[in-house]
Amino acid sequence: MGLDAEIQAFVYCDNFKNLDLFHTGYYSVRISLVLFNSQHVGFPMRLLQLSEDTTKHDGAEPRLQERFFHTQSFGIKSPHQIVELKEASVFSFRFPVSDLFEPDEILVQIQLLHTPFNRNPITSTNLPTKTVSFVNYSLKSSIQSSANVFIPVIFGEDNFASVDLFLSTMLVSIHDPQRISDFQQQRKIYQENESKKQAEEQQKQE
């Protein structure tokens, strides 16, 4: 039986800078990771908030959704606004160890999401859902070796803004694929907690 390899990638979102966004409203940043050639997908397994104040932006909390890491949402009302996010997630890649010896690179996919302000409290939402800008960044280094990079992401002209990302990657294990990994346990716990939260929110709405 073949062995599996596991690579973990730590993604840290520092500051969001509004250079000249054309629309006010709530924004958030959504991040996903994939291996460019093999198309192995990285799944977020942990969410870290490094800021002491997690409610100052009056938006939706950061969350993990399937293969995406969503930062908290934040209201943008004026040009040249700077938002301290200070949030991070740990992604895990799991694949046959033979793929370690194939040339590949990590592709970081960064999306800027938006929803307008709404004065109607019944229909109001602070959860951005519409993708208004999309940036791909390719980490051109071997997946076998560790990497530590700073990624200054600049979104397009229609939504002129930037976000500072830091990415660290590391090969953490080579193991029997039948063994239950920490990654699987973390995902199971997270999914159970998310299901409980959704059930509680539905009960409140009813």
Side-chain angles (χ1 to χ4, degrees):
M1 181 180 294
L3 297 176
D4 271 4
E6 180 173 4
I7 290 177
Q8 290 188 3
F10 174 82
V11 180
Y12 172 66
C13 295
D14 191 18
N15 293 328
F16 177 91
K17 301 174 184 177
N18 171 20
L19 303 175
D20 192 13
L21 289 173
F22 292 168
H23 304 286
T24 61
Y26 286 104
Y27 286 84
S28 70
V29 179
R30 181 166 69 182
I31 299 170
S32 59
L33 305 181
V34 64
L35 296 186
F36 184 77
N37 292 327
S38 63
Q39 293 298 298
H40 291 303
V41 173
F43 287 93
M45 55 186 258
R46 283 194 296 275
L47 180 65
L48 305 171
Q49 291 180 268
L50 306 179
S51 173
E52 295 181 358
D53 186 354
T54 59
T55 60
K56 60 185 178 183
H57 302 310
D58 191 31
E61 295 182 354
R63 69 194 192 283
L64 307 181
Q65 181 185 29
E66 298 178 348
R67 66 187 188 93
F68 298 104
F69 160 42
H70 292 253
T71 69
Q72 62 183 296
S73 60
F74 44 89
I76 294 293
K77 300 178 180 179
S78 59
H80 310 297
Q81 189 173 335
I82 298 177
V83 179
E84 290 187 358
L85 295 173
K86 300 190 182 306
E87 298 163 2
S89 180
V90 179
F91 287 76
S92 177
F93 293 90
R94 290 170 56 88
F95 47 81
V97 71
S98 57
D99 287 358
L100 274 177
F101 304 99
E102 299 295 331
D104 213 334
E105 55 194 48
I106 294 179
L107 183 65
V108 186
Q109 300 173 322
I110 309 109
Q111 299 177 56
L112 182 63
L113 306 182
H114 171 258
T115 191
F117 290 129
N118 191 335
R119 295 183 178 180
N120 186 342
I122 297 177
T123 59
S124 178
T125 177
N126 56 16
L127 186 64
T129 55
K130 181 181 179 181
T131 300
V132 293
S133 191
F134 189 95
V135 175
N136 283 333
Y137 177 87
S138 181
L139 180 60
K140 297 185 181 299
S141 63
S142 170
I143 59 174
Q144 300 172 351
S145 58
S146 300
N148 297 280
V149 295
F150 167 63
I151 307 174
V153 179
I154 299 179
F155 295 105
E157 294 181 356
D158 290 343
N159 291 276
F160 198 29
S162 69
V163 64
D164 296 333
L165 300 183
F166 295 87
L167 175 68
S168 296
T169 65
M170 179 180 295
L171 174 64
V172 295
S173 69
I174 294 177
H175 54 262
D176 185 336
Q178 298 300 320
R179 180 177 64 83
I180 297 177
S181 68
D182 292 339
F183 164 68
Q184 292 170 314
Q185 292 175 346
Q186 290 282 348
R187 287 289 297 174
K188 183 179 179 181
I189 293 171
Y190 175 77
Q191 290 170 350
E192 290 175 351
N193 290 338
E194 284 297 298
S195 298
K196 290 180 181 178
K197 287 181 181 179
Q198 292 176 0
E200 291 174 356
E201 290 177 357
Q202 289 178 356
Q203 289 179 355
K204 290 179 181 179
Q205 294 175 356
E206 293 174 356

